Amino acid sequence: MHELYERDVLTKLREIGAKKILIQTPEGLKKEALYLAEFLRKEGVDVIISGDINYGACDPADREARMLGCDALIHLGHSYMQLNLDVPTIFIPAFAKVDVIGALEKNLGKIRRLGKRIALVTTVQHIRNLESAKTFLEKNGFNVSIGDGDSRVSFKGQVIGCNFTAAKVENDIEGILFIGAGYFHPIGVALSTRKPTLAVNPYSGDAIWLEREVERIIRKRWAQIAKAYDAQRFGVIVSTKKGQLRLGDAKRVMDLLREHGKEAYLIAMNYINYPSLEGFDFDAYVVVACPRVPIDDAENWRKPVLTPKEVELLLGVREEYEFDEIFGGERRKDEPLGISLKL
Amino acid sequence: MHELYERDVLTKLREIGAKKILIQTPEGLKKEALYLAEFLRKEGVDVIISGDINYGACDPADREARMLGCDALIHLGHSYMQLNLDVPTIFIPAFAKVDVIGALEKNLGKIRRLGKRIALVTTVQHIRNLESAKTFLEKNGFNVSIGDGDSRVSFKGQVIGCNFTAAKVENDIEGILFIGAGYFHPIGVALSTRKPTLAVNPYSGDAIWLEREVERIIRKRWAQIAKAYDAQRFGVIVSTKKGQLRLGDAKRVMDLLREHGKEAYLIAMNYINYPSLEGFDFDAYVVVACPRVPIDDAENWRKPVLTPKEVELLLGVREEYEFDEIFGGERRKDEPLGISLKL
């Protein structure tokens, strides 16, 4: 079980005078959510658990907390994201208890192929191991940069699915080393930076290169754009998830489409998926929300589904393929490890 | 296409000074939603369409409207439900353009088997035909009552999936005649009233008796209750849909379960479904939200799923099976036909 900092949580809740709280959790921390609920209940806190599946800090249940009469929200599994929240929210990231040095040591040969000057990034799970990883790599002759990132992330060197600013360091780096499991994050690193990217998995000890996968994705994206050439009626989709709501971007896309003689309708929805939209019968869709929806879910859509920047390519007002990153402002400080409380 | 009263809608929007609106629609009226959006856009109204699928007036997108900066919500396909809404909401029911007398005439023999004193109910789709149906039946010798219903419905004689108060008339009736398509509503009529119920479908001209289906459902419900006898850990589910939020009822269920030595956790969710809950690994669930979820969706749940009244049967504090109806207050007036505006 992941550490829950339940005593610290209780102290924070008492500090802010919260007597009734909502706990929100990703799929993988449901048992932890129940444990925390029971711990807090025994301490006299009235607890409701959100049953809605949560995929990120961009989707806080703060509105739900307020409508349920809760004084605070506890958001498990993700670090703090700067949003205008309806109730005080305690973000408790899940830090992995896995050593990363072993996997780095095993893959030193591959890492050397990135070059000598590298940027080092990871997800919040391994953020506490980033400094020791840097020290290890420097001892092995690398010049390691850890990017600040912008205010959409909580920590230096942290990446999330829609923001890879921490991978974009000022130094002239040759490649990027990502520490973590899975394809989702390192693909984003490579797609956003277009630099040689190696992902080292601290659990399996495996390392994967991302260039080929990214080239394949970009080819598929151009194929989506080509499929949309004859489209006349566009559904432009915004999200009602607080951290994905980009109304200004959507307005720009609507204006651009209309200037080019297309029909455009603005659609708002929570869980963006094709089956819910099928009855509208648009020729093509633009997702102005989570940029990963068009990229990772396109095969489930029967109609072309584009990002805002892909619409610009379609209409000929942009030439180079670019990832639809969601940027924050300047990041001034790391959020406290363990609990990030944002009032 | 259903009538949309678009001129009246525009007049209402101008009356309340709404310049930016959200349109919400059930699956079957998506084309109408697009038509209305285009009509209003040409009149200078800024329009967003909700892409989330909507199943009832109990699930208004008023919070979403507010967060999207809209001044008003247009809710298509359902009649007004008394709720504390975040923005002015125009409910536009979809009235069917189908004659009902032909189907009644064809089925007079069956209707006579209900008895002479009958109650007449329907859904909002056919509510405008209810008086002419009554007149026709009276000419054919029936004594016809149309119940007032409580404030959860908009019209005399109207039933919705969770409220059949309009079928409960004071007169000593022998049976209930439902006019409309499908099983969903007439099953509810029969389950809630436990009176002989005949459903006449004005589209197909068919008529179906509901007793057997209701007996089958009640047997299945007792089987669910039996399956929950050994359950120790209960997930008690409330809905974050505004018209299904029953926190008081949920608290009573939680207290009752705990008094009987069970563990109970309060879960809040929007779209209530088993896959989202699986990771919590409760022994049984209680849905204190839409009463139709346990009844109509139980086969998709791998664990027993009960209504609050079924929990009382389980714990031995109730003996007779009863439908978990959601009641309103006293209904004082019919909501205007066509557009029901609630500020």
Side-chain angles (χ1 to χ4, degrees):
Chain A
M1 207 162 87
H2 284 90
E3 195 168 352
L4 286 168
Y5 309 92
E6 60 265 31
R7 287 264 149 223
D8 300 330
V9 170
L10 186 62
T11 304
K12 282 283 180 197
L13 290 177
R14 287 186 174 152
E15 263 176 48
I16 61 176
K19 291 185 173 61
K20 185 172 175 182
I21 61 146
L22 180 66
I23 300 177
Q24 182 181 24
T25 178
E27 186 63 31
L29 298 176
K30 279 181 168 169
K31 295 238 179 337
E32 281 84 348
L34 293 181
Y35 170 85
L36 186 60
E38 197 55 15
F39 170 83
L40 293 174
R41 191 180 73 84
K42 285 178 179 158
E43 296 288 344
V45 181
D46 212 351
V47 181
I48 306 177
I49 300 165
S50 170
D52 295 324
I53 290 177
N54 171 266
Y55 297 100
C58 56
D59 187 20
D62 58 320
R63 275 173 296 164
E64 290 81 355
R66 205 182 49 177
M67 88 168 286
L68 292 163
C70 294
D71 318 308
L73 170 67
I74 296 179
H75 182 106
L76 295 184
H78 309 110
S79 64
Y80 163 66
M81 181 178 284
Q82 213 171 77
L83 296 168
N84 185 13
L85 299 177
D86 283 25
V87 297
T89 299
I90 298 175
F91 291 85
I92 309 177
F95 298 113
K97 290 170 185 161
V98 61
D99 166 60
V100 304
I101 306 299
L104 293 178
E105 195 155 25
K106 183 185 161 193
N107 291 289
L108 269 177
K110 282 187 183 170
I111 301 172
R112 288 214 170 86
R113 283 159 55 195
L114 278 174
K116 206 174 145 61
R117 297 183 310 282
I118 61 172
L120 185 61
V121 292
T122 186
T123 59
V124 73
Q125 280 83 355
H126 309 289
I127 205 79
R128 290 176 160 188
N129 303 101
L130 211 56
E131 275 304 320
S132 66
K134 182 174 191 265
T135 305
F136 170 82
L137 291 164
E138 284 172 343
K139 275 185 191 155
N140 281 277
F142 291 93
N143 182 340
V144 182
S145 301
I146 295 179
D148 271 345
D150 70 19
S151 71
R152 198 161 166 87
V153 295
S154 298
F155 304 100
K156 281 186 187 183
Q158 182 193 359
V159 296
I160 57 177
C162 58
N163 185 294
F164 304 93
T165 50
K168 293 163 188 169
V169 294
E170 286 187 17
N171 306 353
D172 178 29
I173 55 155
E174 294 163 273
I176 299 165
L177 178 59
F178 169 86
I179 297 175
Y183 269 86
F184 181 78
H185 290 98
I187 276 178
V189 171
L191 196 54
S192 171
T193 63
R194 304 300 284 276
K195 295 265 187 189
T197 301
L198 181 70
V200 171
N201 183 327
Y203 302 96
S204 68
D206 294 340
I208 48 172
W209 293 99
L210 278 304
E211 277 97 324
R212 269 197 205 163
E213 182 59 17
V214 163
E215 280 167 24
R216 194 183 68 84
I217 287 172
I218 292 178
R219 277 199 306 275
K220 285 177 90 169
R221 299 314 303 158
W222 277 107
Q224 284 280 313
I225 295 165
K227 270 176 69 185
Y229 272 132
D230 294 328
Q232 185 54 33
R233 296 171 71 247
F234 285 76
V236 176
I237 305 167
V238 291
S239 171
T240 51
K241 295 187 192 297
K242 205 167 246 185
Q244 297 181 15
L245 182 50
R246 302 160 62 189
L247 276 174
D249 290 344
K251 192 177 177 327
R252 276 189 289 279
V253 171
M254 299 279 289
D255 289 347
L256 191 65
L257 285 166
R258 286 176 180 158
E259 283 163 20
H260 284 76
K262 309 287 190 182
E263 287 172 55
Y265 292 81
L266 189 57
I267 309 290
M269 62 197 301
N270 190 340
Y271 166 54
I272 298 174
N273 68 98
Y274 180 69
S276 294
L277 292 161
E278 192 151 28
F280 287 122
D281 201 24
F282 291 111
D283 301 326
Y285 294 88
V286 187
V287 172
V288 194
C290 172
R292 303 305 294 260
V293 172
I295 292 170
D296 299 64
D297 194 44
E299 64 198 30
N300 295 315
W301 293 56
R302 286 206 206 166
K303 296 287 175 69
V305 51
L306 307 178
T307 69
K309 286 184 174 166
E310 289 167 354
V311 172
E312 296 174 10
L313 292 168
L314 174 74
L315 299 176
V317 298
R318 169 189 292 274
E319 288 186 358
E320 282 292 313
Y321 190 88
E322 200 175 301
F323 176 67
D324 172 38
E325 199 149 354
I326 305 183
F327 294 112
E330 190 193 344
R331 200 175 64 80
R332 292 201 178 79
K333 62 171 185 8
D334 283 2
E335 296 300 323
L337 283 168
I339 302 177
S340 314
L341 177 68
K342 178 62 186 178
L343 287 176
Chain B
M1 206 162 88
H2 284 88
E3 196 169 353
L4 285 168
Y5 309 90
E6 60 264 30
R7 288 264 150 224
D8 301 329
V9 170
L10 186 62
T11 304
K12 282 282 180 197
L13 290 177
R14 286 185 176 154
E15 262 176 50
I16 62 177
K19 292 184 174 61
K20 185 173 176 183
I21 62 145
L22 180 67
I23 299 177
Q24 183 182 24
T25 177
E27 186 62 32
L29 297 177
K30 279 180 167 169
K31 296 239 179 338
E32 281 84 347
L34 292 181
Y35 170 85
L36 185 61
E38 197 53 16
F39 170 83
L40 293 174
R41 191 180 74 83
K42 285 178 180 159
E43 297 288 343
V45 181
D46 212 350
V47 181
I48 305 177
I49 300 164
S50 170
D52 294 325
I53 290 176
N54 173 266
Y55 297 100
C58 56
D59 187 20
D62 59 319
R63 275 173 296 164
E64 288 82 353
R66 204 183 49 176
M67 88 168 286
L68 292 163
C70 295
D71 317 307
L73 170 68
I74 297 179
H75 182 107
L76 295 185
H78 310 109
S79 64
Y80 163 67
M81 181 177 285
Q82 212 172 78
L83 297 168
N84 183 14
L85 299 178
D86 283 24
V87 296
T89 299
I90 298 175
F91 291 83
I92 308 177
F95 298 112
K97 290 172 186 161
V98 62
D99 165 60
V100 305
I101 305 299
L104 293 179
E105 195 154 26
K106 183 184 161 194
N107 291 289
L108 269 177
K110 283 187 182 171
I111 300 172
R112 289 217 169 85
R113 283 158 57 194
L114 278 174
K116 206 174 145 62
R117 297 183 309 284
I118 61 172
L120 185 61
V121 291
T122 186
T123 60
V124 73
Q125 280 83 356
H126 309 288
I127 205 79
R128 290 177 160 187
N129 303 100
L130 210 56
E131 275 305 320
S132 66
K134 182 175 191 263
T135 305
F136 170 81
L137 291 164
E138 283 172 346
K139 275 186 192 154
N140 281 277
F142 292 94
N143 181 339
V144 182
S145 300
I146 295 180
D148 272 344
D150 70 19
S151 70
R152 197 161 168 88
V153 295
S154 298
F155 303 101
K156 283 185 185 183
Q158 182 192 0
V159 296
I160 57 177
C162 59
N163 185 295
F164 303 93
T165 50
K168 295 163 188 169
V169 294
E170 284 186 19
N171 306 355
D172 179 29
I173 56 155
E174 294 163 273
I176 300 165
L177 178 60
F178 169 85
I179 297 175
Y183 270 85
F184 182 76
H185 290 98
I187 277 179
V189 170
L191 196 54
S192 171
T193 62
R194 304 298 284 279
K195 294 264 186 191
T197 301
L198 182 70
V200 171
N201 184 329
Y203 302 97
S204 67
D206 294 340
I208 47 172
W209 292 99
L210 278 305
E211 278 97 325
R212 268 198 205 163
E213 181 60 17
V214 162
E215 280 165 24
R216 195 183 68 84
I217 287 172
I218 293 177
R219 278 198 306 275
K220 285 176 90 170
R221 298 314 303 159
W222 277 107
Q224 282 279 313
I225 296 165
K227 270 175 70 185
Y229 272 132
D230 294 328
Q232 184 55 32
R233 297 170 70 247
F234 286 76
V236 176
I237 305 167
V238 292
S239 171
T240 52
K241 294 186 194 297
K242 204 166 246 184
Q244 297 181 14
L245 182 51
R246 302 159 63 187
L247 277 174
D249 290 344
K251 193 179 177 324
R252 276 188 289 278
V253 171
M254 299 279 289
D255 290 347
L256 191 65
L257 285 166
R258 286 175 180 159
E259 282 162 20
H260 284 75
K262 310 288 190 182
E263 288 172 56
Y265 292 81
L266 188 56
I267 309 288
M269 61 198 302
N270 190 341
Y271 167 53
I272 298 174
N273 67 100
Y274 180 71
S276 295
L277 292 161
E278 191 150 28
F280 287 122
D281 201 24
F282 291 111
D283 301 327
Y285 294 89
V286 188
V287 172
V288 194
C290 172
R292 303 306 293 257
V293 172
I295 292 170
D296 299 64
D297 194 44
E299 64 197 29
N300 294 315
W301 293 57
R302 287 206 205 166
K303 296 287 175 69
V305 52
L306 306 178
T307 68
K309 287 183 174 165
E310 289 166 354
V311 172
E312 296 174 10
L313 292 168
L314 174 75
L315 300 175
V317 297
R318 169 188 291 274
E319 287 185 359
E320 283 292 313
Y321 190 87
E322 200 175 301
F323 177 67
D324 171 37
E325 198 149 354
I326 304 183
F327 294 112
E330 190 193 345
R331 200 176 64 80
R332 291 201 179 78
K333 61 170 186 4
D334 284 2
E335 296 300 324
L337 283 168
I339 301 177
S340 314
L341 177 70
K342 178 63 185 178
L343 287 176

